[in-house]
Amino acid sequence: MSVEKIHTLVVGAGQAGVAMSEHLSRNGIDYIVLERGRIAERWRSMRWDSLVANGPAWHDRFPGMNFPGDPDGFVPKDGVADYFEAYAEMHKAPIRCGVDVTNVERLEDRPGFRVETSDGVIEALNVIAATGPFQSPSIPPIVPADAGIMQMHSSDYRNPSQLAEGAVLVVGAGSSGVQIAEELMLSGRKVYLSVGPHDRPPRAYRGRDFVWWLGILGKWDAQAQAPGSEHVTIAVSGAGGGKTIDFRRLAAQGMVLVGMTGAYSDGSLFFADDLARNLDRGDQNYLALLDEADAFVTRNGLDLPEEPDARMLGPQVDCVTNPLKELNLQDAGVTTIIWATGFVSDYSWLKVNAFDDAGRPKHQRGVSAEKGIYFLGLPWLSGRGSSFIWGVWHDAKHVADHILIQDNYLAYAPRS
């Protein structure tokens, strides 16, 4: 059986793989991209129906193409997927859809890797894992499967009509959890929201979106997470044209906030006594960014309108001052639990020496500890912006340039 040979193989054709394709093409590198589904498949099939991008269209894009429509708008999920398809077409990216990569191992007798796929074997000098962080849904083993209640991960949620009648508990108050919880509440459901530690930036302040403030204040340039913040989620939303998430406002509208979900026993869930602390921390994060923005405006003499009402926090409500510690699901009429608890990476197909003892990729700005293996699309790959569409484009450029530099070294031959 013949074996296809290629210089560089990219696994995944989401935003990371499409960005990687552009830079490899510009560097004249021979490559292909393999995708098990469609281009940007996760934007189409692992998101709820009403999802929009969390950043405005002028910001969350690749430098080489604008989104159609309002640059200050928030693009629906299918529009984002269409954008990546169009971008790949613009660069004539050699993407093969419907091909699953099942195993990657280093060749024993020469440089490169043997890549087993559903479409045959490929040998590649370099392999770029552009599968991103959203691979396997993570559901904490708290409520047993036989508890008699529907449980689903947020990646399986589509809209309120798919759920059984009754109240809903949403666990996790990052961007996904809070947007799903609010959509369910507005549909007429009784909603309980389990809130953990989070950052809560303003959607916009003094006439500028928060992504602008992060840029002008230099916060996108952060190179590493602060100790202890590795698992802190960010509560921000582009839904409804974009608005600041205020948990107390949601509670005043009827949502019941509870602390972090801890344990389950005899039909009841138990919550940590940390709700007020988590909300206060989110408020501190919010107000600190307003303080920095105000100081920047004053220091630079910018003509941006003052916004004193932005410092008015939502009202105190009973579920915060007297938080629930226990919830009997049947008595509360809860028929569904939605776990907005993130994902774990799955690199079981990548059998190389590129991971630490916990299975996390060992890399520096995407350049792996295993020569010829690269990672792309991971949070904080090079900095805070790595999780965003524009950030992964710049990360991809660094990886493509590294590959080209290595090629130049290999091509060097001293004069005889």
Side-chain angles (χ1 to χ4, degrees), residues 1 30 52 160 330 389:
M1 182 180 295
D30 186 29
V52 298
Q330 183 173 358
I389 292 171

Side-chain angles (χ1 to χ4, degrees), residues 34 90 96 126 141 144 179 183 235 250 262 321 328 367:
L34 302 184
M90 181 175 70
R96 302 178 188 175
N126 303 296
Q179 289 180 62
E183 177 174 89
L250 293 173
T321 55
N328 183 280
V367 180

Side-chain angles (χ1 to χ4, degrees), residues 293-304:
D294 287 342
F296 184 88
V297 168
T298 300
R299 185 168 63 251
N300 292 278
L302 300 184
D303 184 20
L304 297 179

Side-chain angles (χ1 to χ4, degrees), residues 164-226:
E165 294 293 326
V168 182
L169 168 66
V170 179
V171 181
S175 294
S176 296
V178 70
Q179 289 180 62
I180 291 171
E182 184 172 21
E183 177 174 89
L184 289 166
M185 181 183 70
L186 293 176
S187 75
R189 301 276 186 147
K190 180 71 174 182
V191 176
Y192 297 82
L193 178 62
S194 178
V195 181
H198 60 272
D199 286 346
R200 187 174 75 86
R203 173 73 268 173
Y205 182 57
R206 300 187 72 158
R208 297 289 188 272
D209 193 89
F210 97 98
V211 299
W212 187 88
W213 284 113
L214 292 186
I216 207 71
L217 295 173
K219 294 185 177 294
W220 288 126
D221 299 327
Q223 297 299 301
Q225 294 168 294

Side-chain angles (χ1 to χ4, degrees), residues 12-130:
Q15 61 196 44
V18 172
M20 194 73 249
S21 181
E22 175 183 356
H23 294 296
L24 290 173
S25 294
R26 286 185 174 177
N27 284 357
I29 294 171
D30 186 29
Y31 73 98
I32 57 173
V33 183
L34 302 184
E35 165 59 49
R36 69 171 62 180
R38 298 168 292 178
I39 295 173
E41 181 66 49
R42 284 189 171 88
W43 279 97
R44 296 198 187 279
S45 62
M46 293 187 68
R47 305 287 192 273
W48 63 96
D49 295 345
S50 64
L51 176 69
V52 298
N54 271 340
W58 67 264
H59 185 266
D60 280 8
R61 63 178 181 85
F62 290 161
M65 179 186 288
N66 293 327
F67 279 100
D70 181 8
D72 292 316
F74 299 89
V75 182
K77 69 180 186 70
D78 286 337
V80 176
D82 290 343
Y83 175 89
F84 291 129
E85 284 192 357
Y87 205 90
E89 175 61 28
M90 181 175 70
H91 290 282
K92 306 301 181 197
I95 297 175
R96 302 178 188 175
C97 293
V99 181
D100 191 12
V101 175
T102 57
N103 192 69
V104 175
E105 295 182 353
R106 178 169 286 284
L107 295 169
E108 294 183 359
D109 55 348
R110 58 193 182 279
F113 302 89
R114 173 186 168 87
V115 181
E116 298 176 12
T117 82
S118 58
D119 198 34
V121 176
I122 300 172
E123 289 185 3
L125 184 63
N126 303 296
V127 175
I128 302 172

Side-chain angles (χ1 to χ4, degrees), residues 405-415:
I405 290 169
Q406 292 301 304
D407 285 352
N408 290 337
Y409 278 126
L410 290 172
Y412 169 74
R415 295 180 181 178

